[in-house]
Amino acid sequence: MKANVYHAPKDVRIETVPDPKIMNPGDAIMKITKSAICGSDLHFYRGNFGMDEGFVVGHEFMGVIEDTGKDSKLFKTGDKVVAPFWAGCGTCHNCENNYPTACTGGGGCFGYGEAFGGYGGGQAEYVRIPFADATLEKVPEEIEDEKLLFLGDVMSTAYFCAERANIKPGNVVVIWGDGTLGLLATLSAKLFGPSTIITIGHHDFRLKLAKEMGADITINSKNEDPIERIQQITKGNLADVSLECIGLPSAIQDSFKMLKAGGTLSFIGMFDEDVSFPMLDFFLKDITVTGGVCPAKNYIQKLMPLITSGKIDPSMIITHDLPLSETPKGYELMDTKDENAIKVVLTP
Ligand SMILES: [Zn+2]
Ligand SMILES: [Zn+2]
């Protein structure tokens, strides 16, 4: 099959690799119909994060069941399914506790190298799904792939960030980031009925989309100081909630400055380094801090009614749909933001 193989920073290539095979009785083989390049793929692409040379990457994908092992009972050939980015065994303590992302029974992240379980990725024609019954979710035939694909990662992750921030009607919510997570967090925050959503970024073309996705006010941090502006907007009362969707240490630190007493910081940005924490602000303002990797599996069915009813349309972030053969160009676009790229999806 054809697949996207990592070689070195800024060097991924479409190559012919062996077709994945059923290795364990609980496995399934998925024929991929749509996959995506995730912002977290840029971590290894830019060399900020180690990746094994020769590894098939990609962890945001969906497709149809091609084949199943003898212990895989829930799915049959032809079923339309979404895979969360992390496979879980379904039986260890953490999986039973609804944290497949902390699976101790052999689970792992797709397409993120040996250190994360060694499971091949989904920027490919086919992928092996371990623990298929515990990992995959069946999705409606009649809904377009583009609206369902991101349930496996960015849509669920963004919603998880907003949900954990405990947004109440009338709240002022600040979102850090105009990338895919920031945009989908903007869309998600809106569902909780805040009075004002303020999205901070530094690309006008993305901030324009943030407005279409629910932001009342956008701040381009290249042109104005976000803290000053938020003070102005809230007449000095500051914000109730901060959603950090970048993985930028200064956004964490600034969140403590722009949150009011009793406020909440929820972060989903992926940090490659430790971040120092203003403990005195945290203490004196009674800030609640929450953050972590999203157990996306739990959100696929939960968010489905929002998609089937048309209440949210995650496909709004797609700017490019490229054939799998052009995946390296897709990485370049995501990295450079040329052609106003936001989200690149791939069709095998
Ligand atoms: Zn991701
Ligand atoms: Zn497990």
Side-chain angles (χ1 to χ4, degrees), residues 135-151:
T135 299
L136 295 174
E137 290 289 342
K138 221 166 147 168
V139 293
E141 289 290 339
E142 64 279 11
I143 309 281
E144 303 97 290
D145 285 4
E146 288 81 353
K147 292 185 179 171
L148 300 168
L149 172 63
F150 306 139
L151 288 172

Side-chain angles (χ1 to χ4, degrees), residues 295-337:
K297 152 95 180 163
N298 307 346
Y299 286 82
I300 296 174
Q301 298 307 345
K302 180 173 174 161
L303 300 185
M304 196 61 73
L306 294 169
I307 291 174
T308 53
S309 67
K311 213 165 177 192
I312 59 170
D313 178 3
S315 71
M316 289 175 83
I317 60 171
I318 299 174
T319 51
H320 294 74
D321 186 346
L322 303 179
L324 181 68
S325 58
E326 288 182 36
T327 306
K329 182 188 168 198
Y331 272 76
E332 244 175 77
L333 287 171
M334 293 270 294
D335 181 36
T336 58
K337 303 177 185 72

Side-chain angles (χ1 to χ4, degrees), residues 42-329:
L42 296 180
H43 287 256
F44 61 74
Y45 185 71
R46 290 171 176 161
N48 299 330
F49 196 88
M51 177 59 71
D52 308 305
E53 196 192 340
F55 208 81
V56 175
V57 293
H59 58 265
E60 203 169 29
F61 57 88
M62 64 180 293
V64 291
I65 299 288
E66 175 81 5
D67 193 12
T68 54
K70 69 175 175 44
D71 288 353
S72 166
K73 306 285 185 208
L74 294 181
F75 303 101
K76 57 178 193 319
T77 304
D79 281 350
K80 180 169 167 175
V81 287
V82 167
F85 60 90
W86 205 284
C89 74
T91 52
C92 72
H93 178 72
N94 288 335
C95 280
E96 284 195 330
N97 202 19
N98 288 322
Y99 275 100
T101 38
C103 178
T104 55
C109 185
F110 291 101
Y112 230 76
E114 295 300 336
F116 285 81
Y119 295 112
Q123 287 160 2
E125 290 179 300
Y126 295 91
V127 63
R128 177 173 81 96
I129 310 289
F131 314 109
D133 283 4
T135 299
L136 295 174
E137 290 289 342
K138 221 166 147 168
V139 293
E141 289 290 339
E142 64 279 11
I143 309 281
E144 303 97 290
D145 285 4
E146 288 81 353
K147 292 185 179 171
L148 300 168
L149 172 63
F150 306 139
L151 288 172
D153 189 0
V154 280
M155 181 64 237
S156 292
T157 297
Y159 183 90
F160 170 76
C161 181
E163 181 187 59
R164 301 224 312 174
N166 198 20
I167 301 166
K168 295 187 185 63
N171 277 176
V172 174
V173 177
V174 173
I175 292 145
W176 294 86
D178 58 9
T180 54
L181 281 174
L183 292 167
L184 292 172
T186 301
L187 187 74
S188 301
K190 185 92 179 158
L191 299 166
F192 297 89
S195 66
T196 313
I197 297 178
I198 303 166
T199 303
I200 305 169
H202 55 267
H203 308 90
D204 286 331
F205 73 97
R206 291 177 172 209
L207 291 171
K208 188 168 162 271
L209 182 57
K211 280 219 165 148
E212 289 164 32
M213 295 181 76
D216 300 291
I217 298 166
T218 58
I219 299 176
N220 186 330
S221 59
K222 268 190 191 156
N223 309 331
E224 45 188 350
D225 176 45
I227 310 274
E228 267 174 33
R229 184 77 197 284
I230 289 158
Q231 270 170 340
Q232 218 176 54
I233 295 164
T234 60
K235 299 188 171 66
N237 290 332
L238 304 179
D240 299 280
V241 166
S242 173
L243 307 181
E244 202 286 337
C245 303
I246 315 171
L248 187 69
S250 66
I252 292 284
Q253 284 142 359
D254 284 348
S255 291
F256 287 91
K257 294 181 198 152
M258 41 128 284
L259 279 170
K260 66 172 72 166
T264 301
L265 162 63
S266 176
F267 69 91
I268 39 158
M270 184 171 147
F271 289 86
D272 297 322
E273 52 182 325
D274 287 345
V275 178
S276 76
F277 228 63
M279 288 305 285
L280 192 61
D281 276 353
F282 182 24
F283 176 77
L284 291 174
K285 288 167 89 174
D286 286 2
I287 303 292
T288 299
V289 179
T290 175
V293 60
C294 171
K297 152 95 180 163
N298 307 346
Y299 286 82
I300 296 174
Q301 298 307 345
K302 180 173 174 161
L303 300 185
M304 196 61 73
L306 294 169
I307 291 174
T308 53
S309 67
K311 213 165 177 192
I312 59 170
D313 178 3
S315 71
M316 289 175 83
I317 60 171
I318 299 174
T319 51
H320 294 74
D321 186 346
L322 303 179
L324 181 68
S325 58
E326 288 182 36
T327 306
K329 182 188 168 198

